[in-house]
Amino acid sequence: DKWMKTKATEVRQGTMEGYQIYVDKHIKPWFDEKDITLKGITTQHIEQYYTAKQKDDLSANTLLKHHCIIKGTLQKAVREKMIRYNPANDVILPKKEKWKQILSFLLF
C-alpha cells in the first residue's frame, strides 16, 4: 500500500488504475491466501506466483507488469529497513512474448 501511494505521484492515473487492479485482483489475494508475509517472502514464492498465474492464462507481458509492482514494493521495504534484501532481484522471469510467436500461433 505504501508503494502504491508513492507511485500515485509518479505515474499517470490510468497506469495507477491498472496497478491497483493487478494488486487487488491478483497479487494480494495470492500472497494472502498462502499467508506469505513481507519478512517471509522468498524468491521461490515469487516464482511460484508467476507459475500459478501463467496457469491462469496470464501472459508473460502481464506478469512483467506484476513483477514491476512486486519488485518495487519490496525495494521500498528494503529502503525503509523492513527487510534486508529484495528477493525479487533473483527471480527468473517468464520470457516476454514476441509478436511473431503470437502471430505464428494464431496462423497455424
Side-chain angles (χ1 to χ4, degrees), residues 26-36:
H26 297 282
I27 298 169
K28 270 186 167 181
W30 193 88
F31 286 94
D32 284 348
E33 179 183 301
K34 307 281 186 240
D35 199 28
I36 299 170

Side-chain angles (χ1 to χ4, degrees), residues 5-103:
K5 288 177 185 171
T6 301
K7 277 305 204 190
T9 62
E10 299 173 4
V11 298
R12 295 183 336 204
Q13 179 66 28
T15 302
M16 276 310 298
E17 289 170 1
Y19 284 172
Q20 197 65 56
I21 290 169
Y22 295 147
V23 169
D24 292 343
K25 185 175 179 184
H26 297 282
I27 298 169
K28 270 186 167 181
W30 193 88
F31 286 94
D32 284 348
E33 179 183 301
K34 307 281 186 240
D35 199 28
I36 299 170
T37 63
L38 177 63
K39 292 191 183 219
I41 193 169
T42 66
T43 299
Q44 291 79 16
H45 290 133
I46 300 167
E47 288 176 347
Q48 289 168 3
Y49 169 78
Y50 295 143
T51 299
K53 291 300 172 176
Q54 281 182 307
K55 288 179 182 174
D56 290 342
D57 289 330
L58 293 184
S59 71
N61 295 344
T62 298
L63 292 177
L64 291 175
K65 294 172 187 172
H66 288 214
H67 186 68
C68 175
I69 295 167
I70 292 168
K71 187 174 182 178
T73 299
L74 294 171
Q75 193 57 46
K76 182 166 180 57
V78 169
R79 281 193 308 274
E80 294 182 359
K81 309 281 190 252
M82 298 170 78
I83 57 176
R84 297 176 100 182
Y85 174 75
N86 185 343
N89 289 341
D90 293 328
V91 167
I92 297 172
L93 294 168
K95 296 238 186 266
K96 195 170 184 179
E97 297 164 2
K98 295 192 167 96
W99 282 108
K100 284 185 180 180
Q101 292 172 331
I102 295 170
L103 288 175

